[in-house]
Amino acid sequence: MRLFVLLLFGIHLTFAGKHSLKYFYLSVSGDDDEFTTVGLVDDRQFIYFDINTRKALPKAEWIMRQNQEADYLDRQTALMIHEHNWIKKHVWIKSAGVHTYQLIYGCEWNDRTGETNGFRQYGYDGEDFLFLDLKTEKWISSMEEGFNTQERCNNETVRLEYWKYYLKIECIEILKEFLQLEKSSLEKTGCEGRYASS
């Protein structure tokens, strides 16, 4: 009985509090043309993509537990190939030499308070380039080189509305779904207690 209580307590510890869904994109210009993406739920990797394999690969068992998740991987593959092509066409065409382009986006949800947060930000050569401020609902650049991009993005109202919706609503729904899939997977494999203590 005591072990059962400890296991239930472990599940609660694992899935209570602040949660996050994040995607990291990294592109490197030059002859090698590198492009990789990593997806994380609560800072644990669940998906990986690089331009050499051209396929989003699951890095956690739970992502493949239901048929619709295979569709998710196909959609992510298409999205990442599109993003890679967009960067080559719009970013690297204007850049000589070797440079890095980073993108991080996602959301956070606190299951105790209900508080949510979303973020989407770009970096160039390791420095902040552009981010979406959801409080002002504006794109903001902290460097002079990004001011033209900031103005153009703020004028693209359809794109701005999409990202506001995605980060405030859709991303949170996906995060909750992934947390439930992960929790169900742990319960089925009997790893709750071990996982919570790791």
Side-chain angles (χ1 to χ4, degrees), residues 47-133:
I47 191 174
Y48 174 81
F49 173 91
D50 73 53
I51 199 58
N52 297 317
T53 61
R54 299 182 73 85
K55 187 169 179 63
L57 302 172
K59 292 296 180 179
E61 183 183 349
W62 56 265
I63 195 66
M64 291 302 295
R65 282 213 168 255
Q66 294 185 2
N67 289 335
Q68 65 259 35
E69 300 316 319
D71 294 337
Y72 169 80
L73 292 172
D74 290 341
R75 289 192 309 272
Q76 287 300 308
T77 295
L79 173 68
M80 292 167 192
I81 290 173
H82 171 79
E83 187 74 21
H84 171 254
N85 291 335
W86 186 91
I87 292 168
K88 284 177 67 176
K89 183 177 178 181
H90 296 281
V91 179
W92 297 147
I93 197 74
K94 303 172 186 175
S95 303
V98 177
H99 298 277
T100 60
Y101 174 88
Q102 307 91 22
L103 165 63
I104 177 175
Y105 70 94
C107 56
E108 298 170 328
W109 167 61
N110 190 317
D111 65 5
R112 290 183 181 143
T113 66
E115 184 181 1
T116 63
N117 182 39
F119 47 90
R120 185 169 176 92
Q121 54 198 63
Y122 298 85
Y124 190 81
D125 286 345
E127 296 192 29
D128 293 338
F129 180 73
L130 185 73
F131 72 95
L132 178 57
D133 184 341

Coordinates of all heavy atoms in Angstrom, one line a residue, residues 47-133:
I47 N 11.3 15.2 -30.0 CA 11.4 15.2 -31.5 C 12.7 15.8 -31.9 O 13.2 16.6 -31.3 CB 10.2 16.0 -32.1 CG1 10.0 15.7 -33.6 CG2 10.3 17.4 -31.8 CD1 8.8 16.4 -34.2
Y48 N 13.2 15.3 -33.1 CA 14.4 15.8 -33.6 C 14.3 15.7 -35.2 O 13.8 14.8 -35.8 CB 15.6 14.9 -33.2 CG 16.9 15.2 -33.9 CD1 17.7 16.3 -33.4 CD2 17.4 14.5 -35.0 CE1 18.9 16.7 -34.0 CE2 18.6 14.9 -35.6 CZ 19.3 15.9 -35.1 OH 20.5 16.3 -35.7
F49 N 14.9 16.8 -35.8 CA 15.0 16.8 -37.3 C 16.3 17.4 -37.7 O 16.8 18.3 -37.0 CB 13.8 17.8 -37.8 CG 13.9 18.0 -39.2 CD1 13.2 17.2 -40.1 CD2 14.6 19.1 -39.7 CE1 13.3 17.5 -41.5 CE2 14.7 19.3 -41.1 CZ 14.0 18.5 -42.0
D50 N 16.9 16.9 -38.7 CA 18.0 17.6 -39.4 C 17.8 17.4 -40.9 O 17.1 16.5 -41.4 CB 19.4 17.1 -38.9 CG 19.8 15.8 -39.4 OD1 19.8 15.5 -40.6 OD2 20.2 15.0 -38.5
I51 N 18.4 18.3 -41.6 CA 18.2 18.4 -43.1 C 18.8 17.2 -43.8 O 18.4 16.9 -44.9 CB 18.7 19.7 -43.6 CG1 18.1 20.0 -45.0 CG2 20.2 19.8 -43.7 CD1 16.6 20.1 -44.9
N52 N 19.7 16.5 -43.2 CA 20.3 15.3 -43.8 C 19.3 14.1 -43.9 O 19.2 13.5 -44.9 CB 21.6 14.9 -43.1 CG 22.6 15.9 -43.2 OD1 22.9 16.5 -44.2 ND2 23.3 16.2 -42.1
T53 N 18.6 13.9 -42.8 CA 17.6 12.8 -42.8 C 16.3 13.3 -43.4 O 15.5 12.5 -43.9 CB 17.3 12.4 -41.4 OG1 16.8 13.5 -40.6 CG2 18.6 11.8 -40.7
R54 N 16.0 14.6 -43.3 CA 14.8 15.2 -43.9 C 13.5 14.5 -43.3 O 12.5 14.3 -44.0 CB 14.8 15.2 -45.4 CG 15.9 15.9 -46.1 CD 15.9 15.9 -47.6 NE 14.8 16.7 -48.1 CZ 14.9 18.0 -48.3 NH1 16.0 18.7 -48.0 NH2 13.9 18.7 -48.8
K55 N 13.6 14.2 -42.0 CA 12.5 13.5 -41.4 C 12.4 13.9 -39.9 O 13.5 13.8 -39.3 CB 12.6 12.0 -41.6 CG 11.4 11.2 -41.1 CD 11.4 9.8 -41.6 CE 10.2 9.0 -41.1 NZ 9.0 9.5 -41.6
A56 N 11.3 14.2 -39.4 CA 11.1 14.5 -38.0 C 11.1 13.1 -37.3 O 10.2 12.3 -37.6 CB 9.8 15.3 -37.7
L57 N 12.0 12.9 -36.4 CA 12.1 11.6 -35.7 C 11.6 11.7 -34.2 O 12.0 12.6 -33.5 CB 13.6 11.1 -35.7 CG 14.2 11.0 -37.1 CD1 15.7 10.7 -37.0 CD2 13.5 9.9 -37.9
P58 N 10.9 10.7 -33.8 CA 10.5 10.7 -32.4 C 11.6 10.4 -31.5 O 12.4 9.5 -31.8 CB 9.4 9.6 -32.3 CG 9.8 8.7 -33.4 CD 10.4 9.5 -34.5
K59 N 11.7 11.1 -30.3 CA 12.8 10.8 -29.4 C 12.2 10.4 -28.0 O 12.9 10.4 -27.0 CB 13.7 12.1 -29.2 CG 14.5 12.3 -30.5 CD 15.5 11.2 -30.7 CE 16.4 11.5 -31.9 NZ 17.3 10.4 -32.1
A60 N 10.9 10.2 -28.0 CA 10.2 9.7 -26.8 C 9.1 8.7 -27.2 O 8.5 8.9 -28.2 CB 9.6 10.9 -26.0
E61 N 9.0 7.7 -26.5 CA 8.1 6.6 -26.8 C 6.6 7.1 -26.9 O 5.9 6.7 -27.8 CB 8.1 5.5 -25.8 CG 7.3 4.3 -26.2 CD 7.3 3.2 -25.1 OE1 8.1 3.3 -24.2 OE2 6.4 2.3 -25.2
W62 N 6.2 8.0 -26.1 CA 4.8 8.4 -26.0 C 4.4 9.2 -27.3 O 3.2 9.2 -27.6 CB 4.6 9.3 -24.8 CG 5.4 10.5 -24.7 CD1 6.6 10.7 -24.0 CD2 5.2 11.8 -25.3 NE1 7.1 11.9 -24.2 CE2 6.3 12.6 -24.9 CE3 4.2 12.3 -26.1 CZ2 6.4 14.0 -25.4 CZ3 4.3 13.6 -26.6 CH2 5.4 14.4 -26.2
I63 N 5.3 9.7 -28.0 CA 4.9 10.5 -29.2 C 4.3 9.6 -30.3 O 3.6 10.0 -31.2 CB 6.0 11.4 -29.8 CG1 5.5 12.4 -30.7 CG2 7.1 10.5 -30.4 CD1 4.6 13.5 -30.2
M64 N 4.6 8.3 -30.3 CA 4.2 7.4 -31.3 C 3.1 6.4 -30.8 O 2.7 5.5 -31.4 CB 5.3 6.5 -31.8 CG 6.3 7.3 -32.6 SD 5.6 8.1 -34.0 CE 5.1 6.7 -35.0
R65 N 2.5 6.7 -29.6 CA 1.5 5.8 -29.0 C 0.2 5.8 -29.7 O -0.6 4.9 -29.6 CB 1.4 6.1 -27.5 CG 2.5 5.5 -26.7 CD 2.0 5.1 -25.3 NE 3.0 4.3 -24.7 CZ 3.0 3.0 -24.6 NH1 2.0 2.3 -25.1 NH2 4.0 2.3 -24.0
Q66 N -0.1 6.9 -30.4 CA -1.4 7.0 -31.0 C -1.2 7.3 -32.5 O -0.3 8.0 -32.9 CB -2.3 8.1 -30.4 CG -2.7 7.7 -29.0 CD -3.7 8.7 -28.4 OE1 -4.1 9.7 -29.1 NE2 -4.1 8.6 -27.2
N67 N -2.1 6.8 -33.3 CA -1.9 7.0 -34.8 C -1.8 8.5 -35.2 O -1.1 8.8 -36.1 CB -3.1 6.3 -35.5 CG -3.0 4.8 -35.5 OD1 -1.9 4.3 -35.3 ND2 -4.1 4.2 -35.6
Q68 N -2.6 9.4 -34.5 CA -2.6 10.7 -35.0 C -1.2 11.4 -34.7 O -0.9 12.4 -35.4 CB -3.7 11.6 -34.3 CG -3.5 11.7 -32.8 CD -4.4 10.8 -32.0 OE1 -4.7 9.7 -32.5 NE2 -5.0 11.2 -30.9
E69 N -0.4 10.8 -33.8 CA 0.9 11.4 -33.6 C 1.8 11.2 -34.8 O 2.7 11.9 -35.0 CB 1.5 10.8 -32.3 CG 0.7 11.1 -31.1 CD 0.1 12.6 -31.0 OE1 0.9 13.5 -31.3 OE2 -1.0 12.7 -30.6
A70 N 1.6 10.1 -35.6 CA 2.3 9.9 -36.8 C 2.0 11.0 -37.8 O 2.9 11.5 -38.5 CB 2.0 8.5 -37.4
D71 N 0.8 11.5 -37.8 CA 0.4 12.6 -38.6 C 1.1 13.9 -38.2 O 1.6 14.7 -39.0 CB -1.1 12.8 -38.6 CG -1.9 11.7 -39.3 OD1 -1.3 11.0 -40.1 OD2 -3.1 11.5 -38.9
Y72 N 1.3 14.0 -36.8 CA 2.0 15.1 -36.3 C 3.4 15.2 -36.8 O 3.9 16.2 -37.2 CB 2.0 15.1 -34.7 CG 2.9 16.0 -34.1 CD1 2.5 17.4 -33.9 CD2 4.1 15.7 -33.6 CE1 3.4 18.3 -33.4 CE2 5.0 16.6 -33.0 CZ 4.6 17.9 -32.9 OH 5.5 18.8 -32.3
L73 N 4.1 14.0 -36.8 CA 5.5 13.9 -37.2 C 5.6 14.3 -38.7 O 6.5 15.0 -39.2 CB 6.1 12.5 -37.0 CG 6.3 12.2 -35.5 CD1 6.7 10.7 -35.3 CD2 7.3 13.1 -34.9
D74 N 4.6 13.8 -39.5 CA 4.6 14.2 -40.9 C 4.4 15.7 -41.1 O 5.1 16.3 -42.0 CB 3.5 13.5 -41.7 CG 3.7 12.0 -41.8 OD1 4.9 11.5 -41.7 OD2 2.8 11.2 -42.0
R75 N 3.5 16.3 -40.3 CA 3.3 17.8 -40.4 C 4.6 18.5 -40.0 O 5.0 19.5 -40.6 CB 2.1 18.2 -39.6 CG 0.8 17.8 -40.1 CD -0.4 18.5 -39.4 NE -0.3 18.4 -37.9 CZ -0.8 17.4 -37.2 NH1 -1.4 16.4 -37.8 NH2 -0.7 17.4 -35.9
Q76 N 5.2 18.0 -39.0 CA 6.5 18.7 -38.5 C 7.6 18.5 -39.6 O 8.3 19.5 -39.8 CB 6.9 18.1 -37.2 CG 6.1 18.5 -36.0 CD 6.1 20.0 -35.8 OE1 7.1 20.6 -35.7 NE2 4.9 20.5 -35.7
T77 N 7.7 17.4 -40.2 CA 8.6 17.2 -41.3 C 8.4 18.2 -42.4 O 9.4 18.9 -42.8 CB 8.6 15.8 -41.9 OG1 8.9 14.8 -40.8 CG2 9.5 15.6 -43.1
A78 N 7.2 18.4 -42.8 CA 6.9 19.3 -43.9 C 7.2 20.8 -43.4 O 7.7 21.6 -44.2 CB 5.4 19.2 -44.3
L79 N 6.8 21.1 -42.2 CA 7.1 22.4 -41.7 C 8.6 22.7 -41.6 O 9.0 23.8 -42.0 CB 6.4 22.5 -40.3 CG 6.7 23.8 -39.5 CD1 6.1 25.0 -40.2 CD2 6.3 23.7 -38.1
M80 N 9.4 21.8 -41.2 CA 10.8 22.0 -41.0 C 11.5 22.1 -42.4 O 12.4 22.9 -42.5 CB 11.4 20.9 -40.1 CG 10.9 21.0 -38.7 SD 11.3 19.6 -37.7 CE 10.2 19.9 -36.2
I81 N 11.1 21.3 -43.3 CA 11.7 21.4 -44.7 C 11.3 22.8 -45.3 O 12.1 23.5 -45.9 CB 11.2 20.3 -45.6 CG1 11.8 19.0 -45.1 CG2 11.5 20.6 -47.0 CD1 11.3 17.8 -45.8
H82 N 10.1 23.2 -45.1 CA 9.6 24.6 -45.5 C 10.5 25.7 -44.8 O 10.9 26.6 -45.5 CB 8.1 24.8 -45.2 CG 7.7 26.2 -45.5 ND1 7.4 26.7 -46.7 CD2 7.5 27.2 -44.6 CE1 7.1 27.9 -46.7 NE2 7.1 28.3 -45.4
E83 N 10.7 25.5 -43.5 CA 11.4 26.6 -42.8 C 12.9 26.6 -43.3 O 13.4 27.7 -43.5 CB 11.4 26.2 -41.3 CG 12.0 27.3 -40.4 CD 11.2 28.6 -40.3 OE1 10.0 28.5 -40.5 OE2 11.8 29.6 -39.9
H84 N 13.5 25.4 -43.5 CA 14.8 25.4 -44.1 C 14.9 26.1 -45.4 O 15.8 26.9 -45.7 CB 15.3 23.9 -44.2 CG 16.6 23.7 -44.9 ND1 16.7 23.3 -46.2 CD2 17.8 24.0 -44.5 CE1 17.9 23.2 -46.6 NE2 18.7 23.7 -45.6
N85 N 14.0 25.8 -46.3 CA 14.0 26.4 -47.6 C 13.8 27.9 -47.5 O 14.4 28.7 -48.3 CB 12.9 25.8 -48.5 CG 13.2 24.4 -48.9 OD1 14.4 24.0 -48.9 ND2 12.2 23.6 -49.2
W86 N 12.9 28.4 -46.6 CA 12.6 29.8 -46.4 C 13.9 30.5 -46.0 O 14.2 31.6 -46.5 CB 11.5 30.0 -45.4 CG 11.1 31.4 -45.3 CD1 10.1 32.1 -46.0 CD2 11.7 32.4 -44.4 NE1 10.1 33.4 -45.6 CE2 11.0 33.6 -44.6 CE3 12.7 32.4 -43.5 CZ2 11.3 34.8 -44.0 CZ3 13.1 33.6 -42.8 CH2 12.4 34.8 -43.0
I87 N 14.6 29.9 -45.0 CA 15.9 30.5 -44.5 C 16.9 30.6 -45.6 O 17.5 31.7 -45.8 CB 16.4 29.7 -43.3 CG1 15.5 29.8 -42.1 CG2 17.8 30.2 -43.0 CD1 15.8 28.8 -41.0
K88 N 17.0 29.6 -46.4 CA 18.0 29.6 -47.6 C 17.6 30.7 -48.5 O 18.5 31.5 -49.0 CB 18.0 28.3 -48.3 CG 18.7 27.2 -47.6 CD 18.7 25.9 -48.3 CE 19.4 25.9 -49.6 NZ 19.4 24.6 -50.3
K89 N 16.3 30.9 -48.8 CA 15.9 31.9 -49.8 C 15.9 33.3 -49.3 O 16.3 34.2 -50.0 CB 14.5 31.5 -50.3 CG 13.9 32.4 -51.3 CD 12.6 31.9 -51.8 CE 12.0 32.8 -52.9 NZ 10.6 32.4 -53.3
H90 N 15.5 33.5 -48.0 CA 15.4 34.9 -47.5 C 16.4 35.4 -46.6 O 16.6 36.6 -46.4 CB 14.0 35.0 -46.8 CG 12.8 34.8 -47.7 ND1 12.4 35.7 -48.6 CD2 12.1 33.7 -47.9 CE1 11.4 35.3 -49.3 NE2 11.1 34.0 -48.9
V91 N 17.2 34.5 -45.9 CA 18.2 34.9 -45.0 C 19.6 34.7 -45.6 O 20.4 35.7 -45.7 CB 18.1 34.1 -43.6 CG1 19.2 34.6 -42.7 CG2 16.7 34.4 -43.0
W92 N 19.9 33.5 -46.0 CA 21.3 33.2 -46.5 C 21.6 33.8 -47.8 O 22.8 34.1 -48.1 CB 21.6 31.7 -46.5 CG 21.5 31.1 -45.1 CD1 21.1 29.8 -44.9 CD2 21.8 31.6 -43.9 NE1 21.1 29.5 -43.6 CE2 21.6 30.6 -42.9 CE3 22.3 32.8 -43.4 CZ2 21.8 30.8 -41.5 CZ3 22.6 33.0 -42.1 CH2 22.3 32.0 -41.1
I93 N 20.6 34.1 -48.6 CA 20.9 34.7 -49.9 C 21.5 36.1 -49.7 O 22.2 36.6 -50.6 CB 19.6 34.8 -50.8 CG1 19.9 35.1 -52.2 CG2 18.6 35.9 -50.2 CD1 20.4 33.9 -52.9
K94 N 21.3 36.7 -48.6 CA 21.8 38.1 -48.3 C 23.0 38.1 -47.5 O 23.6 39.1 -47.1 CB 20.7 38.9 -47.5 CG 19.4 39.0 -48.3 CD 18.3 39.7 -47.4 CE 17.0 39.6 -48.1 NZ 15.9 40.1 -47.2
S95 N 23.5 36.9 -47.1 CA 24.6 36.8 -46.1 C 25.8 36.1 -46.8 O 25.6 35.0 -47.3 CB 24.2 36.0 -44.9 OG 23.1 36.6 -44.3
A96 N 27.0 36.7 -46.7 CA 28.2 36.0 -47.2 C 28.9 35.4 -46.0 O 28.8 35.9 -44.8 CB 29.1 37.0 -47.9
G97 N 29.6 34.3 -46.2 CA 30.4 33.7 -45.1 C 29.5 32.8 -44.3 O 28.4 32.4 -44.7
V98 N 30.0 32.4 -43.1 CA 29.3 31.5 -42.2 C 28.6 32.3 -41.1 O 29.2 33.1 -40.4 CB 30.3 30.5 -41.6 CG1 29.6 29.5 -40.6 CG2 31.0 29.7 -42.7
H99 N 27.3 32.0 -41.0 CA 26.5 32.7 -39.9 C 25.5 31.7 -39.3 O 25.3 30.6 -39.9 CB 25.7 33.9 -40.5 CG 26.6 34.9 -41.1 ND1 27.2 35.9 -40.3 CD2 27.0 35.2 -42.3 CE1 27.9 36.7 -41.1 NE2 27.8 36.3 -42.3
T100 N 25.0 32.0 -38.1 CA 24.0 31.2 -37.5 C 22.7 32.0 -37.4 O 22.7 33.2 -37.2 CB 24.4 30.7 -36.1 OG1 24.6 31.8 -35.3 CG2 25.7 29.8 -36.2
Y101 N 21.6 31.2 -37.5 CA 20.3 31.8 -37.4 C 19.5 30.8 -36.5 O 19.5 29.6 -36.7 CB 19.6 31.8 -38.8 CG 18.2 32.2 -38.9 CD1 17.8 33.5 -39.0 CD2 17.2 31.2 -38.8 CE1 16.5 33.8 -39.1 CE2 15.8 31.6 -38.9 CZ 15.5 32.9 -39.1 OH 14.1 33.2 -39.2
Q102 N 19.0 31.4 -35.4 CA 18.3 30.6 -34.4 C 16.8 31.1 -34.3 O 16.5 32.3 -34.4 CB 19.0 30.8 -33.0 CG 20.4 30.5 -33.0 CD 21.3 31.7 -33.2 OE1 20.9 32.8 -33.0 NE2 22.5 31.5 -33.7
L103 N 16.0 30.1 -34.0 CA 14.6 30.4 -33.7 C 14.2 29.6 -32.5 O 14.5 28.4 -32.4 CB 13.7 30.1 -34.9 CG 12.2 30.0 -34.7 CD1 11.6 31.3 -34.2 CD2 11.5 29.5 -35.9
I104 N 13.5 30.2 -31.5 CA 12.9 29.4 -30.4 C 11.5 29.9 -30.3 O 11.2 31.1 -30.3 CB 13.7 29.6 -29.1 CG1 13.0 28.8 -28.0 CG2 13.9 31.0 -28.7 CD1 13.7 28.8 -26.6
Y105 N 10.6 29.0 -30.2 CA 9.2 29.4 -29.9 C 8.5 28.3 -29.1 O 8.9 27.1 -29.0 CB 8.4 29.7 -31.2 CG 8.1 28.5 -32.1 CD1 6.9 27.8 -32.0 CD2 9.0 28.0 -33.0 CE1 6.6 26.7 -32.8 CE2 8.7 27.0 -33.8 CZ 7.5 26.3 -33.7 OH 7.2 25.3 -34.5
G106 N 7.4 28.7 -28.5 CA 6.6 27.7 -27.7 C 5.8 28.4 -26.6 O 5.4 29.6 -26.8
C107 N 5.5 27.6 -25.6 CA 4.5 28.1 -24.6 C 4.8 27.5 -23.2 O 5.4 26.4 -23.2 CB 3.1 27.9 -25.0 SG 2.7 26.2 -25.4
E108 N 4.2 28.1 -22.2 CA 4.3 27.6 -20.8 C 2.9 27.6 -20.2 O 2.1 28.5 -20.5 CB 5.3 28.4 -20.0 CG 6.7 28.4 -20.5 CD 7.6 29.4 -19.9 OE1 7.1 30.5 -19.5 OE2 8.8 29.2 -19.7
W109 N 2.6 26.6 -19.4 CA 1.3 26.5 -18.7 C 1.5 26.1 -17.3 O 2.3 25.1 -17.1 CB 0.4 25.6 -19.5 CG -0.8 25.2 -18.7 CD1 -1.8 26.0 -18.3 CD2 -1.2 23.8 -18.4 NE1 -2.8 25.2 -17.7 CE2 -2.4 23.9 -17.7 CE3 -0.6 22.6 -18.5 CZ2 -3.1 22.8 -17.2 CZ3 -1.2 21.5 -18.0 CH2 -2.5 21.6 -17.4
N110 N 1.0 26.8 -16.3 CA 1.0 26.3 -14.9 C -0.3 25.7 -14.6 O -1.4 26.3 -14.6 CB 1.3 27.5 -14.0 CG 1.6 27.1 -12.6 OD1 0.9 26.3 -12.0 ND2 2.6 27.8 -12.0
D111 N -0.3 24.4 -14.3 CA -1.5 23.6 -14.1 C -2.1 23.9 -12.7 O -3.2 23.5 -12.4 CB -1.4 22.1 -14.3 CG -0.4 21.5 -13.4 OD1 0.0 22.1 -12.4 OD2 -0.2 20.3 -13.6
R112 N -1.4 24.7 -11.9 CA -1.9 25.0 -10.6 C -2.7 26.4 -10.6 O -3.7 26.5 -10.0 CB -0.8 25.1 -9.5 CG -0.2 23.8 -9.2 CD 0.9 23.9 -8.1 NE 1.4 22.6 -7.8 CZ 2.7 22.4 -7.5 NH1 3.5 23.5 -7.5 NH2 3.1 21.2 -7.2
T113 N -2.1 27.3 -11.3 CA -2.6 28.7 -11.4 C -3.4 28.9 -12.7 O -4.2 29.9 -12.7 CB -1.5 29.7 -11.3 OG1 -0.7 29.6 -12.4 CG2 -0.7 29.5 -10.0
G114 N -3.2 28.1 -13.7 CA -3.8 28.4 -15.0 C -3.1 29.4 -15.8 O -3.5 29.7 -17.0
E115 N -2.0 30.0 -15.3 CA -1.3 31.0 -16.0 C -0.6 30.4 -17.2 O 0.0 29.3 -17.2 CB -0.2 31.6 -15.1 CG 0.6 32.8 -15.7 CD 1.6 33.3 -14.7 OE1 1.7 32.8 -13.6 OE2 2.3 34.3 -15.1
T116 N -0.6 31.2 -18.3 CA 0.0 30.8 -19.6 C 1.0 31.9 -20.1 O 0.8 33.0 -19.8 CB -1.0 30.4 -20.7 OG1 -1.7 31.6 -21.0 CG2 -1.9 29.3 -20.2
N117 N 1.9 31.4 -20.9 CA 2.8 32.4 -21.6 C 3.3 31.8 -22.9 O 3.4 30.6 -23.0 CB 4.0 32.6 -20.7 CG 5.0 33.6 -21.3 OD1 4.6 34.6 -21.9 ND2 6.3 33.4 -21.1
G118 N 3.4 32.6 -23.9 CA 3.9 32.2 -25.2 C 5.1 33.0 -25.6 O 5.3 34.2 -25.2
F119 N 6.0 32.5 -26.5 CA 7.2 33.2 -26.9 C 7.6 32.7 -28.3 O 7.4 31.6 -28.7 CB 8.3 33.0 -25.9 CG 8.5 31.6 -25.5 CD1 9.4 30.7 -26.2 CD2 7.8 31.0 -24.4 CE1 9.5 29.4 -25.9 CE2 8.0 29.7 -24.1 CZ 8.9 28.9 -24.8
R120 N 8.1 33.7 -29.1 CA 8.7 33.4 -30.4 C 9.8 34.4 -30.6 O 9.5 35.6 -30.6 CB 7.6 33.5 -31.5 CG 8.2 33.1 -32.9 CD 7.2 32.9 -33.9 NE 7.7 32.6 -35.2 CZ 7.9 31.4 -35.7 NH1 7.6 30.3 -35.0 NH2 8.4 31.2 -36.9
Q121 N 11.0 34.0 -30.7 CA 12.1 34.9 -30.8 C 13.2 34.4 -31.8 O 13.4 33.1 -31.9 CB 12.7 35.2 -29.5 CG 13.1 34.0 -28.6 CD 13.3 34.4 -27.2 OE1 12.3 34.8 -26.5 NE2 14.5 34.2 -26.7
Y122 N 13.9 35.3 -32.4 CA 14.9 34.9 -33.4 C 16.2 35.5 -32.9 O 16.3 36.5 -32.3 CB 14.6 35.6 -34.8 CG 13.3 35.1 -35.4 CD1 12.1 35.7 -35.0 CD2 13.3 34.1 -36.3 CE1 10.9 35.3 -35.6 CE2 12.1 33.7 -36.9 CZ 10.9 34.3 -36.5 OH 9.7 33.8 -37.1
G123 N 17.3 34.7 -33.3 CA 18.6 35.2 -33.0 C 19.5 35.1 -34.3 O 19.2 34.3 -35.2
Y124 N 20.5 35.9 -34.4 CA 21.4 35.9 -35.5 C 22.8 36.0 -35.0 O 23.2 36.9 -34.3 CB 21.1 37.1 -36.5 CG 21.8 37.0 -37.8 CD1 21.4 36.2 -38.8 CD2 23.0 37.7 -38.0 CE1 22.0 36.1 -40.0 CE2 23.7 37.7 -39.2 CZ 23.2 36.9 -40.2 OH 23.9 36.8 -41.4
D125 N 23.6 35.0 -35.3 CA 25.0 34.9 -34.8 C 25.1 35.0 -33.3 O 26.0 35.7 -32.7 CB 25.9 36.0 -35.5 CG 26.2 35.7 -36.9 OD1 26.0 34.5 -37.3 OD2 26.7 36.6 -37.7
G126 N 24.1 34.4 -32.7 CA 24.1 34.3 -31.2 C 23.6 35.5 -30.5 O 23.5 35.6 -29.2
E127 N 23.1 36.5 -31.2 CA 22.5 37.7 -30.6 C 21.0 37.8 -30.9 O 20.5 37.4 -31.9 CB 23.2 39.0 -31.1 CG 24.7 39.0 -30.7 CD 25.2 40.4 -30.9 OE1 24.5 41.4 -30.9 OE2 26.4 40.5 -31.2
D128 N 20.2 38.3 -29.9 CA 18.8 38.5 -30.1 C 18.6 39.4 -31.3 O 19.2 40.5 -31.4 CB 18.2 39.2 -28.8 CG 18.2 38.2 -27.6 OD1 18.3 37.0 -27.8 OD2 18.2 38.7 -26.5
F129 N 17.7 39.0 -32.1 CA 17.4 39.8 -33.4 C 16.0 40.3 -33.4 O 15.7 41.5 -33.6 CB 17.6 38.9 -34.6 CG 17.4 39.6 -35.9 CD1 18.3 40.5 -36.4 CD2 16.2 39.3 -36.6 CE1 18.0 41.2 -37.6 CE2 16.0 39.9 -37.8 CZ 16.9 40.9 -38.3
L130 N 15.0 39.5 -33.0 CA 13.6 39.9 -33.1 C 12.7 39.0 -32.2 O 13.0 37.8 -32.1 CB 13.1 39.7 -34.6 CG 11.7 40.2 -34.9 CD1 11.6 41.7 -34.9 CD2 11.3 39.6 -36.3
F131 N 11.8 39.5 -31.5 CA 10.9 38.7 -30.7 C 9.4 39.3 -30.7 O 9.2 40.5 -31.0 CB 11.4 38.5 -29.3 CG 11.2 39.8 -28.4 CD1 10.1 40.0 -27.6 CD2 12.2 40.8 -28.4 CE1 10.0 41.1 -26.8 CE2 12.1 41.9 -27.7 CZ 11.0 42.1 -26.8
L132 N 8.5 38.4 -30.5 CA 7.1 38.8 -30.5 C 6.7 39.1 -29.0 O 6.8 38.2 -28.2 CB 6.2 37.7 -31.1 CG 4.7 38.0 -31.0 CD1 4.3 39.3 -31.7 CD2 3.9 36.8 -31.6
D133 N 6.3 40.3 -28.7 CA 5.9 40.7 -27.4 C 4.4 40.5 -27.3 O 3.6 41.3 -27.9 CB 6.3 42.1 -27.1 CG 6.0 42.6 -25.7 OD1 5.1 41.9 -25.0 OD2 6.5 43.6 -25.2

